[in-house]
Amino acid sequence: MKKGFTLLELIVVVIIVGVLGSLGFAQYTKVVEKSRTAEAKAILGALRSAQEAYRLQYGGYTATLANLSTEAPAACSSVYYFTYGVSATSGTATRCTTGGKSPQGAAAYTLTLNYATGEWGGSAGYY
């Protein structure tokens, strides 16, 4: 009797390894993308601090990014993964899909930070 694997057994193993590999890679890319939100969280935190300083001086939050003394790009640049915006209640970071730091995001998900409560929000799974 010969010892070894049949061709069918090898094909089944290759298919199983391929399926597991593709699932693992999808999860890996999502985790790596989620780690890029650290940039957004740091800058949104700085925007929140700048908004609090602005509120103490002028009596309310500003809806203009230029009024704050924090470096946060309003358009995609090769230095940042996100663009940033402010409103009278929260700061928003939107992932660049073109023109931002490489690699580009596959989708333009968002992160938000409420100034008054400090609550994070945005696209599910990324904050």
Side-chain angles (χ1 to χ4, degrees):
M1 185 169 186
K2 293 183 178 182
K3 294 182 180 179
F5 296 105
T6 66
L7 182 60
L8 182 61
E9 290 170 330
L10 291 174
I11 290 173
V12 169
V13 168
V14 168
I15 290 172
I16 290 172
V17 168
V19 168
L20 291 175
S22 66
L23 292 174
F25 184 74
Q27 288 298 326
Y28 171 76
T29 55
K30 185 167 182 171
V31 168
V32 169
E33 187 62 35
K34 189 174 180 179
S35 72
R36 292 189 178 110
T37 62
E39 171 197 297
K41 288 181 177 184
I43 293 177
L44 286 175
L47 286 174
R48 181 181 181 206
S49 296
Q51 282 283 37
E52 287 299 327
Y54 188 91
R55 183 183 63 83
L56 290 173
Q57 185 172 2
Y58 297 105
Y61 297 120
T62 180
T64 306
L65 193 59
N67 290 342
L68 302 175
S69 60
T70 302
E71 185 177 335
C76 290
S77 72
S78 62
V79 180
Y80 296 98
Y81 292 113
F82 293 85
T83 61
Y84 300 90
V86 295
S87 70
T89 59
S90 65
T92 303
T94 305
R95 181 68 162 100
C96 294
T97 56
T98 58
K101 188 173 181 179
S102 184
Q104 305 300 321
Y109 62 88
T110 61
L111 293 164
T112 59
L113 177 59
N114 185 298
Y115 302 135
T117 63
E119 292 178 2
W120 291 98
S123 302
Y126 291 101
Y127 61 94

